Amino acid sequence: MALSAGFTASLPTNYEYYTSTGINSGLNANQSFFTLNDKLIKIYSGAMHYFRVPRPYWRDRLRKIRAAGLNTVETYVPWNLHEPENGKFDFGEGGSEFEDFLHLEEFLNAAKEEDLFVILRTGPYICSEYNSGGFPSWLLREKPMGFRTSEENYMKFVTRFFNVVLTLLAAFQFQLGGPVIAFQVENEYGNLENGAAFQPDKVYMEELRQLFLKNGIVELLTSADSPLWKGTSGTLPGELFQTANFGDNAVNQLNKLEEFQPGRPLMVMEYWIGWFDNVGGEHSVKSDEDSRRVLEDIFSKNASFNAYMFHGGTNFWFNNGANLDNDLMDNSGYTAITTSYDYDAPISESGGYRNKYFIVKELVAADNPVQTLTPEAPEYIEPLAYESSRIEQFLPLRTLLEENSPISIRSEQLLPMEMLDINDGSGQNNGYIVYQKDNVDLEENSVLTIEGNVCDTVLVLVDGDLVAPTKLSSLADLDGFGYWRLKDSSVQINEEPKFQSTITLLVENMGRVHGAGIYQYNHTFKGLWQGNVTINQRNIYDWEVVPLELKKQWINELKGWSEFSTESSGPGMYKATLSILEEPRDTYIDTRGWGKGMVFVNGFALGRYAAIGPQFALYLPAPFLVNGDNSIIFFEHFSAPADGLIAYTDEQIFINPT
């Protein structure tokens, strides 16, 4: 193996140590310890998801993982990104909005060149706090759809995807000279166990296993669940090597795993070394002391581990997931994940080193029975706080709709995003959806009612003017009109009579549920779809439905901008220019002073923000910027900061909500 920059020859590399005499076998778990190519190995792994890290930074993050003494990197493979439309695949340069993140083969080659083995968790369900748990939204159009079961229609699409992705990945197996030493089948499948309501489908798991085998996968096949909480309900004992997921109570978890697989090695697939953040929740931090204690407990059991996450990264674009505590059509228990997936991980969102990094490095060095060459830890280049940009232009929602020719669909009834006949029959995946009704006569004090729950937020405009809600400044606002918590919500939309008015409902998809079973997934449509919209108790029909997918080219070609002033307010685009006269540096966009919405950088959807926190700074990596003028656009629901500025900072900002 050719050494990548950052290595000096003395000890052998991982690949030299394990393959110098040829490759005879892969990762073996048929005794009380792992062997790789018939040599003892303990797996020291760190999770890093290629789709959460800008492609130009992959090598930097991989080398930092290797420099910590880890010998493996783990990643999921998200189906929804690699097949964004029904039958259209993207593994880099496939034409999707997110294509630059999807060069999976390049990532695997880079991992090997940085001297790391790879664990692939290919789904089809990945959870990962990711949009829809990795499932494509177009699956919702297909009926029946037995998500995560052996139901025939679901398995038809799983089989098609696996036949594509596993054919690609087979060439990267360790026994064929590649870096991949293990594949995970499904993910935390035992979590679906719900007494008489649902028992995990073992036929489904066997069908998945057979798909791996039929596509030439010869490496170790694994499953992952909490042994204490879920037992063996989510695996195939004797066919899949079971691993453990947990954040604490390591000894008891591993003792239970040992009962299930006596005489076999112990592996923690997910040691939750940090945690994620919810919109409107408290920022999660796991102490260094807890991290050290749990790792020491793992090592006391002579177990291998994967630190989830070792580098969390970012839910760029519209890719955050969400939780749903309620069943079926009740959206009141909905909670979205933040754009930041920093996870309080050893390597921060922008690539910095936390104390946890050095704790892991210390403990691994003391525990590892095999000594191989590790590179020097790459220098961390601190983000830069650029000078604030003045907002120069404003494009209100009404003008945006009138002058930029978005797709428009006439529908007698309200339709969710996913059921719109666009994108070659795949529906709308991300963004916002507009429901508009012209020529409406409003008597005085008219009341608009939305039946069911909003999925997920709604703004009501009358003749282009925002009437409700008018702010988001505290958690209490979520209990009012315009948000997902209220069912059958109503609001007064005028005082004086109005004639031939235009009613506009702008609905935001804040992210799809990432962890759910067959019943919940089949009810995770976005938009207005759970009932009618009424005005003064009369149903409104014949809607103009406009999908606002907010794609990069469309954003960059927007027309109708006017000069911004302190009088500019309401939903719309607020635009500034960030001029950079040298090589761009990482930075953060400070969202304090803004209400709710999305930020676009040079047309790319950077991420979401909300005044209820806890995240108040969006990570903006240097590769998204150019030397020269950069377009910074806020798609804001309410109004811009009073000073008319877009501010930048050199650090993360987390403030717990009130």
Side-chain angles (χ1 to χ4, degrees):
M1 168 185 166
L3 287 180
S4 177
F7 289 92
T8 56
S10 55
L11 292 169
T13 66
N14 271 328
Y15 282 88
E16 287 171 343
Y17 181 82
Y18 286 102
T19 67
S20 60
T21 58
I23 300 175
N24 302 308
S25 60
L27 185 65
N28 187 303
N30 291 329
Q31 59 284 311
S32 62
F33 50 87
F34 286 116
T35 61
L36 182 64
N37 202 23
D38 298 325
K39 294 185 178 182
L40 175 70
I41 185 172
K42 287 191 71 173
I43 298 170
Y44 304 97
S45 177
M48 166 194 164
H49 301 153
Y50 58 95
F51 47 90
R52 281 181 160 130
V53 179
R55 184 179 167 201
Y57 285 169
W58 285 351
R59 284 190 179 273
D60 174 81
R61 306 312 196 248
L62 289 167
R63 191 168 304 164
K64 286 171 176 172
I65 291 171
R66 182 70 187 104
L70 305 186
N71 54 23
T72 304
V73 62
E74 173 268 310
T75 186
Y76 284 118
V77 179
W79 182 5
N80 56 349
L81 296 184
H82 288 296
E83 193 181 357
E85 295 180 15
N86 191 342
K88 294 184 179 180
F89 300 94
D90 192 346
F91 291 92
E93 300 180 5
S96 72
E97 287 283 291
F98 214 62
E99 66 177 4
D100 199 51
F101 289 80
L102 303 182
H103 294 256
L104 179 53
E105 293 169 285
E106 179 182 321
F107 177 79
L108 296 174
N109 284 327
K112 182 178 179 182
E113 290 166 8
E114 296 301 332
D115 204 29
L116 289 164
F117 304 121
V118 177
I119 296 172
L120 284 178
R121 305 171 77 189
T122 52
Y125 166 76
I126 65 170
C127 183
S128 189
E129 291 74 55
Y130 213 56
N131 195 11
S132 201
F135 285 128
S137 62
W138 50 260
L139 285 175
L140 289 166
R141 299 171 62 90
E142 304 291 333
K143 302 298 179 186
M145 182 48 56
F147 286 97
R148 305 183 73 186
T149 72
S150 56
E151 185 272 312
E152 183 177 355
N153 206 34
Y154 168 71
M155 283 305 301
K156 176 182 73 174
F157 292 106
V158 171
T159 299
R160 185 180 68 184
F161 176 65
F162 268 28
N163 286 345
V164 172
V165 71
L166 293 178
T167 297
L168 180 152
L169 295 175
F172 290 88
Q173 295 181 94
F174 176 81
Q175 294 179 65
L176 298 178
V180 182
I181 60 173
F183 291 82
Q184 182 176 295
V185 180
E186 244 276 353
N187 185 55
E188 295 184 322
Y189 192 52
N191 279 355
L192 288 187
E193 186 177 19
N194 187 20
F198 184 83
Q199 285 292 307
D201 185 347
K202 300 287 187 173
V203 173
Y204 165 57
M205 291 295 286
E206 177 59 23
E207 289 179 349
L208 292 181
R209 189 180 78 91
Q210 288 299 324
L211 282 173
F212 282 86
L213 300 179
K214 290 174 182 177
N215 280 283
I217 302 303
V218 297
E219 306 299 343
L220 185 67
L221 297 181
T222 73
S223 65
D225 272 303
S226 161
L228 281 177
W229 305 331
K230 300 301 176 182
T232 61
S233 61
T235 190
L236 297 173
E239 301 292 352
L240 300 177
F241 178 74
Q242 186 173 354
T243 66
N245 291 359
F246 56 77
D248 210 332
N249 202 11
V251 172
N252 288 334
Q253 291 275 12
L254 292 171
N255 284 343
K256 181 60 68 173
L257 183 60
E258 202 166 23
E259 291 180 21
F260 300 146
Q261 296 181 146
R264 304 191 78 183
L266 298 173
M267 171 73 189
V268 183
M269 187 60 77
E270 291 186 19
Y271 161 49
W272 304 322
I273 202 165
W275 202 246
F276 56 88
D277 288 339
N278 295 309
V279 175
E282 293 192 356
H283 174 53
S284 295
V285 177
K286 186 167 186 174
S287 72
D288 296 344
E289 293 75 16
D290 280 349
S291 299
R292 176 183 289 276
R293 174 181 54 79
V294 176
L295 282 170
E296 287 175 342
D297 286 346
I298 290 171
F299 291 155
S300 75
K301 294 293 297 179
N302 197 30
S304 294
F305 80 97
N306 174 55
Y308 190 98
M309 298 290 296
F310 203 77
H311 172 50
T314 311
N315 293 315
F316 295 116
W317 201 43
F318 304 93
N319 284 327
N320 64 281
N323 294 296
L324 185 61
D325 293 336
N326 305 80
D327 290 331
L328 303 180
M329 294 175 64
D330 183 356
N331 204 44
S332 63
Y334 174 89
T335 308
I337 306 301
T338 57
T339 289
S340 174
Y341 199 66
D342 177 86
Y343 215 86
D344 193 36
I347 300 174
S348 74
E349 186 175 19
S350 58
Y353 299 102
R354 290 199 171 97
N355 286 338
K356 289 180 185 179
Y357 181 91
F358 302 102
I359 291 171
V360 172
K361 184 172 184 176
E362 170 200 337
L363 294 177
V364 168
D367 185 73
N368 195 347
V370 176
Q371 298 301 306
T372 56
L373 180 67
T374 55
E376 293 294 322
E379 177 188 4
Y380 171 51
I381 300 175
E382 298 275 353
L384 177 66
Y386 287 104
E387 290 188 13
S388 297
S389 304
R390 185 161 296 281
I391 302 170
E392 302 159 340
Q393 294 179 294
F394 175 55
L395 181 59
L397 179 66
R398 184 172 189 171
T399 308
L400 183 148
L401 295 173
E402 291 173 348
E403 298 195 20
N404 291 282
S405 302
I407 298 171
S408 177
I409 298 167
R410 284 286 175 184
S411 176
E412 181 75 7
Q413 304 288 342
L414 297 166
L415 290 173
M417 284 183 174
E418 297 80 1
M419 300 308 294
L420 299 182
D421 191 16
I422 61 174
N423 296 321
D424 292 330
S426 294
Q428 181 183 355
N429 183 13
N430 299 313
Y432 291 68
I433 184 169
V434 175
Y435 303 92
Q436 194 154 276
K437 178 70 176 177
D438 294 324
N439 301 316
V440 179
D441 293 336
L442 299 174
E443 57 194 66
E444 63 181 16
N445 301 323
S446 289
V447 174
L448 180 144
T449 299
I450 298 174
E451 296 175 351
N453 292 94
V454 176
C455 300
D456 300 304
T457 75
V458 63
L459 300 175
V460 179
L461 296 87
V462 177
D463 295 328
D465 296 324
L466 179 65
V467 296
T470 57
K471 66 181 178 68
L472 177 63
S473 56
S474 71
L475 293 179
D477 292 329
L478 298 181
D479 295 321
F481 179 88
Y483 300 99
W484 56 87
R485 290 182 180 175
L486 278 186
K487 189 173 185 179
D488 301 327
S489 53
S490 298
V491 65
Q492 181 178 314
I493 57 174
N494 67 306
E495 294 181 353
E496 301 298 322
K498 296 175 73 74
F499 301 97
Q500 295 189 319
S501 288
T502 297
I503 307 298
T504 304
L505 307 177
L506 175 67
V507 182
E508 175 193 17
N509 167 5
M510 282 184 62
R512 291 188 174 83
V513 172
H514 61 252
I518 175 175
Y519 306 110
Q520 285 181 321
Y521 270 127
N522 274 309
H523 292 85
T524 55
F525 295 98
K526 294 298 181 179
L528 302 179
W529 58 276
Q530 296 186 4
N532 292 304
V533 169
T534 69
I535 296 179
N536 299 328
Q537 300 182 340
R538 294 188 295 271
N539 288 344
I540 305 299
Y541 298 105
D542 190 24
W543 292 92
E544 179 185 10
V545 183
V546 181
L548 286 182
E549 298 182 280
L550 304 175
K551 293 183 177 180
K552 183 175 181 179
Q553 182 177 346
W554 190 75
I555 293 289
N556 284 333
E557 295 176 354
L558 285 173
K559 297 175 293 186
W561 294 96
S562 59
E563 184 177 351
F564 172 79
S565 74
T566 54
E567 305 300 316
S568 303
S569 66
M573 302 286 189
Y574 297 75
K575 184 177 183 180
T577 300
L578 171 60
S579 297
I580 299 176
L581 303 180
E582 62 282 324
E583 188 71 19
R585 289 261 299 274
D586 285 3
T587 189
Y588 288 86
I589 296 180
D590 189 338
T591 64
R592 290 175 294 182
W594 294 86
K596 193 174 193 319
M598 292 283 305
V599 174
F600 298 84
V601 175
N602 294 324
F604 177 75
L606 188 68
R608 311 176 194 270
Y609 63 90
I612 54 174
Q615 180 184 4
F616 285 92
L618 289 173
Y619 175 47
L620 173 49
F624 295 176
L625 298 167
V626 299
N627 186 316
D629 289 345
N630 295 270
S631 165
I632 311 294
I633 296 175
F634 276 67
F635 185 31
E636 162 66 29
H637 291 197
F638 306 113
S639 60
D643 60 8
L645 297 176
I646 293 176
Y648 308 92
T649 178
D650 57 4
E651 61 184 2
Q652 296 172 312
I653 301 172
F654 294 108
I655 302 173
N656 290 332
T658 57

